[in-house]
């Protein structure tokens, strides 16, 4: 281990030196394409080869536990996006932000794909109609030289307004901002518009800067400020541009500054009275900002004293609201993916966006109705579980009335798959494995828990017949399932427990070294998080040991072999998409430090810095020797849901009983210790739970922590105050009585409910 730490320090130093050189060197001092060093590649390869999370263990050993800053130091930035056969999603290879405005509960159908490096805007789908930005001598793609591109950011840290800055080969500086909005009113445009503002500064340049705005095909110059197709406007630009052979060109001499505005209409529109001016841009921008501020205020609020986490939460919520049921946007993955899309539905309900959650569940039920051949017991159970979760959190009786027939039909279809011995018919483990039916253990566990969950809902509203049928079916499957799991599981010499995804599957030495192991790592967390395995039991402890010691995680994020990123070459990657279930399983078993590691690992290694985009898989090892890392089919709604769920579990966790039903609340059980350092504050407002809405504020001032809580009845609530390392909570006082805090800082509030204050002393 000493040698590994020395190598790690060397690699970190090399990364830091490279960053410093890139920041201070003259524009031409570095090549535009950076390569990963041999030392860095070797360092990453050694971590990949390990059967344990060596980087995660290093962070867990730190005094105070993992931090975002420490998690960031291991891997290079994530900037590139690919689709099938590793084809890039944009001309430069950059990922894009899928932007739209405004929305209904069904999300949006009109998206513009804004390349994160500022190089182009693509309408609706990768490879579609586009506007490309050239600078410098007029032939240099904006953002194409990554060593002269500052990392992209979102306005105010979270708004869907992309900000970039770039220096061309001649030394001219550019600042670009873009977003998607509309131009409203009788004289506006029906189209969704991509608004672009490009500030050009040639005061330090060696030569004039030529900016060219190039549509994907030659358009007609119909008015002094615009291009059109079939008399419908597609591009509107500000004054000062020359229209030459289907291209808009601006020339800025040395020593000047100028701001250029462009409006790219993502659907051709008349737009006769719309012009690309500062006023038009500012009005549209204010409208978008106001919309998102209002929309984000409509849900529950989770406020934490760490800007990176807070910005990620809000930015990802804008994506969750925008995408709805879609697994991705603008690429071949723009589809309903039952498991991951329903994960997003549950998270939307937990964050107070019931309309978004219901839309996804309604759409899933309808899609299953019109495409019955897609049915498996796992998918049917996944819908039942999501529907039950949604109802528990919203008490939406209208939803049950409208969708009850569809839910009853899912129960019936699971029953028809039951064999004489009580087990369920073989079925594929996942969509990617549909060519092979297996005796699925993970699918049968999901079926049992989904049936029990919907049974509890029907019982709570008086539908006793339907409740009893679902419960009876669940228990009949469960009786056989327990024997299958006991017979198929294997206790290993290291004390860990391997539970296979399918009967006959053998333990994996390093889980993600093979395709089968990678799929086990993606499928089984759904079973682990279902509540079927009792929390804190010998079984659950053995499963966790297997996950931790056999290569399931890296920096607290689920691993995968990531063949979609590497092609035919050996590789290794992360699959943040499947972190949601693991976070639930960790919370069930009260693993706070592992949850903190997952939160920071997702943020630092699983998504892009400051724009918070992830793919289905992201690379760890360098791809073709490239310095920057690559992701597959970004953006990804499942990865987004995983981060939001991990943050939710850190702040609000529902304990479950023997059959998976909610029995109590754990508040602030896994917060990073620095969040309750002196002067810090954590606030949760109106968070939906199975017992009712929860609000609390924790404020640290010197040696005192003051908590203001609003708790529902029957919550059987516990509160944990995770203070910095070396400190401890010595007493707590609330509602006229003194509470004892255990060694972890946990205060058992029991049946206390309503609004009250708690004061705790720290020493």
């Amino acid at each position: 281990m000493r040698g590994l730490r020395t190598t790690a320090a060397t690699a970190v130093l090399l990364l830091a030196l490279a960053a410093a050189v890139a920041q201070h060197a003259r524009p031409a001092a570095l090549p535009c394409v950076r390569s990963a060093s041999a030392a860095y590649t070797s360092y990453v390869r050694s971590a990949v080869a390990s059967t344990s999370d060596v980087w995660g263990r290093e962070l867990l050993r730190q005094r105070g536990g993992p931090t975002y800053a420490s998690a960031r130091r291991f891997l290079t930035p994530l900037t590139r996006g690919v689709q099938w056969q590793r084809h890039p999603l944009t001309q430069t290879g950059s990922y894009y932000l899928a932007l739209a405005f405004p929305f209904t509960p069904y999300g949006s159908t009109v998206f513009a794909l804004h390349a994160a490096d500022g190089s182009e805007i693509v309408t609706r789908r990768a490879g579609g109609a586009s506007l490309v930005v050239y600078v410098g001598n007029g032939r240099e793609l904006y953002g194409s030289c990554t060593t002269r591109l500052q990392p992209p950011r979102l306005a105010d840290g979270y708004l869907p307004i992309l900000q970039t800055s770039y220096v061309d080969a001649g030394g001219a500086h550019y600042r670009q901002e873009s977003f998607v909005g509309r131009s409203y009113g009788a004289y506006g445009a029906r189209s969704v518009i991509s608004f672009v503002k490009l500030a050009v500064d040639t005061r330090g340049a060696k030569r004039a800067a030529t900016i060219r705005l190039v549509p994907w095909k030659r358009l007609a110059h119909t008015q002094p400020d615009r291009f059109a197709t079939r008399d419908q406007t597609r591009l509107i630009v500000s004054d000062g541009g020359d229209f030459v052979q289907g291209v808009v060109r601006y020339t800025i001499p040395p020593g000047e500054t100028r701001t250029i505005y462009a409006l790219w209409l993502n659907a051709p529109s008349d737009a006769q009275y719309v012009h690309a001016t500062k006023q038009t841009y500012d009005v549209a921008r204010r409208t978008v900002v106001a919309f998102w501020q209002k929309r984000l205020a409509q849900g529950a609020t989770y406020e934490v004293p760490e800007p990176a986490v807070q910005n990620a939460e809000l930015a990802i919520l804008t994506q969750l609201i925008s995408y709805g049921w879609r697994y991705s946007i603008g690429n071949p993955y723009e589809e309903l993916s039952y498991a991951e899309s329903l994960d997003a539905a549950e998270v939307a309900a937990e964050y107070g966006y019931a309309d978004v959650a219901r839309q996804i569940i309604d759409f899933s039920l309808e899609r299953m109705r019109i495409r019955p051949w897609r049915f498996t017991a796992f998918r049917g159970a996944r819908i039942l579980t999501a529907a039950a979760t949604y109802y528990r959190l919203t008490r939406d009786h209208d939803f049950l009335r409208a969708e009850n027939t569809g839910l009853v039909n899912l129960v019936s279809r699971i029953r028809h798959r039951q064999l004489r011995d009580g087990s369920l018919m073989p079925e594929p483990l996942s969509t990617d494995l549909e060519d092979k039916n297996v005796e699925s253990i993970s699918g049968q566990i999901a079926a049992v828990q989904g049936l029990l969950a919907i049974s509890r809902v029907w019982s709570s509203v008086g539908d006793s017949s339907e409740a009893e049928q679902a419960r009876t079916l669940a228990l009949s499957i469960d009786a056989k399932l327990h024997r299958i799991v006991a017979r198929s599981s294997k206790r290993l010499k290291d004390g860990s427990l391997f539970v296979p995804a399918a009967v006959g599957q053998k333990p994996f030495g390093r889980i993600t070294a093979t395709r089968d192991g990678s799929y086990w790592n993606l499928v089984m967390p759904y079973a682990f998080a279902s509540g079927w395995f009792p929390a804190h039991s010998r079984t659950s402890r053995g499963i966790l040991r297997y996950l931790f010691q056999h290569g399931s995680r890296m920096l607290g994020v689920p691993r995968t072999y990531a063949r979609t990123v590497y092609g035919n070459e050996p590789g290794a990657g992360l699959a943040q998409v499947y972190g949601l279930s693991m976070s639930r399983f960790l919370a069930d078993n009260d693993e706070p430090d592992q949850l903190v590691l997952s939160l920071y690992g997702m943020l630092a290694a699983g998504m892009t810095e400051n724009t918070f985009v992830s793919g289905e898989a992201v690379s760890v090892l360098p791809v073709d020797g490239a310095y920057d890392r690559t992701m597959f089919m970004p953006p990804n709604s499942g990865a987004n849901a995983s981060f939001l769920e991990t943050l939710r579990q850190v702040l609000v966790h529902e304990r479950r009983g023997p059959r998976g039903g909610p029995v109590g609340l754990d508040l602030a059980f896994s917060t990073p210790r620095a969040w309750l350092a002196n002067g810090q504050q954590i606030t949760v407002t109106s968070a939906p739970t199975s017992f009712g809405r929860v609000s609390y504020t924790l404020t640290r001032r010197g040696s005192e922590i003051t908590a203001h809580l609003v708790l529902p009845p029957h919550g059987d609530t516990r509160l944990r105050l995770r203070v910095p390392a070396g400190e401890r909570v010595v007493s707590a006082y609330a509602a006229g009585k003194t509470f004892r805090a255990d060694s972890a800082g946990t205060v058992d509030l029991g049946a206390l409910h309503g609004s009250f204050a708690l004061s705790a002393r720290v020493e």
Side-chain angles (χ1 to χ4, degrees), residues 31 77 82 90 120 159 182 269 275 310 409 483 581 669 727 740 755:
V82 296
T90 61
E120 66 177 319
L159 291 165
R182 288 183 182 268
S269 180
H275 299 283
Q310 189 69 55
N409 184 55
R483 294 194 292 272
S581 293
F669 251 50
E727 299 181 341
R740 186 183 68 84
S755 178

Side-chain angles (χ1 to χ4, degrees), residues 538-553:
R538 182 171 181 263
T539 298
S540 288
R541 289 194 300 272
I543 291 169
L544 285 170
R545 190 178 182 91
Y546 180 75
L547 292 166
F548 294 157
Q549 296 189 2
H550 291 264
S552 170
R553 290 153 60 81

Side-chain angles (χ1 to χ4, degrees), residues 505-699:
Q505 196 172 55
K506 303 300 182 184
F508 306 98
R510 178 163 60 85
I511 294 169
T512 57
T514 65
R515 182 174 186 262
D516 287 346
S518 285
Y519 276 100
W520 181 93
N521 206 36
L522 309 183
V523 169
M524 281 307 291
Y526 283 102
F528 299 149
S530 70
W532 194 85
F533 297 95
H536 308 289
S537 65
R538 182 171 181 263
T539 298
S540 288
R541 289 194 300 272
I543 291 169
L544 285 170
R545 190 178 182 91
Y546 180 75
L547 292 166
F548 294 157
Q549 296 189 2
H550 291 264
S552 170
R553 290 153 60 81
M554 177 174 281
L555 285 173
V557 184
R559 289 179 59 178
T560 177
Y561 75 145
R563 187 60 57 84
T564 50
V565 176
Y566 294 94
N568 294 324
E569 299 298 320
L574 304 177
Q576 181 168 315
V577 180
Y578 302 98
L580 179 145
S581 293
M582 272 304 303
S583 292
R584 288 176 174 169
F585 189 49
L586 291 171
D588 285 345
N589 287 278
D590 196 9
E591 292 277 353
D593 293 324
Q594 288 285 348
L595 264 176
V596 172
L597 176 63
S598 292
L599 184 75
Y600 289 135
M602 289 179 182
L603 187 57
M607 65 179 71
T608 60
E609 182 182 2
N610 296 325
T611 51
F612 315 111
V613 172
S614 188
E616 184 182 62
V618 304
S619 66
V620 174
L621 285 168
V623 178
D624 296 330
Y627 176 81
D628 289 4
R629 293 186 295 128
T630 301
M631 51 190 159
F632 182 68
M633 298 283 198
N636 187 279
S637 61
N640 295 342
S642 290
F643 179 83
L644 293 175
E645 179 66 12
T646 302
L647 180 60
R648 157 86 176 199
Q649 294 296 333
V650 162
L651 296 168
V652 178
H653 171 250
E654 296 190 26
R655 299 192 306 281
R656 293 185 286 189
R659 295 289 181 185
V663 296
L665 289 171
D666 291 337
L667 305 182
F669 251 50
S670 302
T671 58
R673 293 189 178 279
W675 289 5
L676 279 180
N678 186 27
Q680 304 300 332
Q681 181 171 288
I682 302 168
T683 299
V684 172
T685 305
S686 199
T689 75
S690 299
F691 307 96
R693 292 188 176 262
V694 167
S695 298
Y696 68 85
T697 298
L698 307 178
T699 306

Side-chain angles (χ1 to χ4, degrees), residues 79-80 88-97 113-122 130-135 139-146 149-150 152 162-166 176-178 196 198 211-216:
T79 68
R80 310 187 70 78
L89 289 168
T90 61
Q91 289 196 46
T92 60
S94 168
Y95 69 96
Y96 56 73
L97 278 66
L113 315 179
H114 288 219
D117 62 3
S119 60
E120 66 177 319
I121 295 168
V122 184
S130 63
L131 178 70
V132 181
V133 181
Y134 291 90
V135 294
R139 295 185 297 274
E140 180 180 341
L141 264 173
Y142 183 101
S144 58
C145 183
T146 57
L149 175 71
Q150 289 295 309
L162 176 63
Q163 297 175 333
T164 64
S165 60
Y166 186 64
Q176 184 185 148
E177 183 177 85
S178 67
V196 181
L198 182 64
I211 293 86
R212 296 168 66 238
L213 306 179
V214 183
W216 86 110

Side-chain angles (χ1 to χ4, degrees), residues 305-507:
E306 187 162 12
V309 176
Q310 189 69 55
N311 287 337
E313 177 210 346
L314 296 174
I316 292 171
L317 280 171
T318 70
Q319 297 179 48
L320 181 77
I321 294 166
S322 305
Y323 301 168
W325 54 266
R326 296 169 181 84
Y327 188 48
S328 188
I329 302 292
N331 59 57
Y333 266 11
E334 188 171 321
E335 60 185 16
L336 175 73
S337 186
Y338 283 97
E340 299 86 349
S341 296
L342 290 162
D343 286 345
E346 293 179 346
V347 170
E350 290 175 338
Y351 275 74
Y353 297 96
D355 53 349
V356 177
R358 178 167 176 176
Q359 175 269 319
I360 298 172
I361 299 169
D362 287 346
F363 187 85
S364 301
L365 281 161
E366 176 64 12
R367 183 60 62 88
M368 187 59 75
R369 185 186 68 80
I370 64 177
R371 298 181 180 178
W373 60 87
R374 296 296 310 281
F375 182 85
T376 63
F378 175 81
R379 289 179 185 138
R382 193 68 197 88
I383 298 174
L384 292 175
T385 301
T389 300
Y390 171 77
Y391 180 79
R392 287 202 328 267
L393 297 176
T394 65
R395 296 296 190 263
D396 184 351
H397 296 285
D398 177 67
F399 165 76
L400 276 186
R401 286 191 294 269
E403 300 292 5
N404 204 58
T405 299
L407 297 173
V408 170
N409 184 55
L410 292 177
V411 174
S412 177
R413 295 192 69 179
I414 294 173
R415 181 184 299 108
H416 287 142
R417 295 186 66 84
Q418 191 174 26
L419 302 173
R420 289 181 179 274
D421 66 357
S423 64
L424 295 178
M425 293 171 56
E427 64 183 33
L429 284 177
S430 76
T431 302
D432 292 342
L433 304 174
E434 286 189 331
D435 59 337
K436 184 179 180 182
N437 289 331
V438 297
E439 191 173 354
S440 171
I441 290 175
S442 57
Q444 293 189 75
I445 289 174
V448 168
Q449 296 305 92
L451 289 165
L452 290 173
I454 201 65
S455 172
R456 287 189 291 269
V457 168
W458 281 329
S459 180
S460 71
V461 297
D463 291 341
S464 56
S465 175
E466 290 164 354
E468 182 57 29
Q469 289 181 46
R471 177 179 170 82
T472 300
L473 176 58
L475 296 180
S476 67
I477 299 169
D478 194 51
K480 175 68 174 179
L481 180 60
H482 274 280
R483 294 194 292 272
I484 293 172
V485 173
R487 184 175 65 248
S488 302
S489 300
K490 182 175 179 58
R491 183 76 62 172
L492 305 182
K493 291 181 179 180
D494 59 10
S496 65
L497 179 67
F498 173 74
V499 180
V503 173
Q505 196 172 55
K506 303 300 182 184

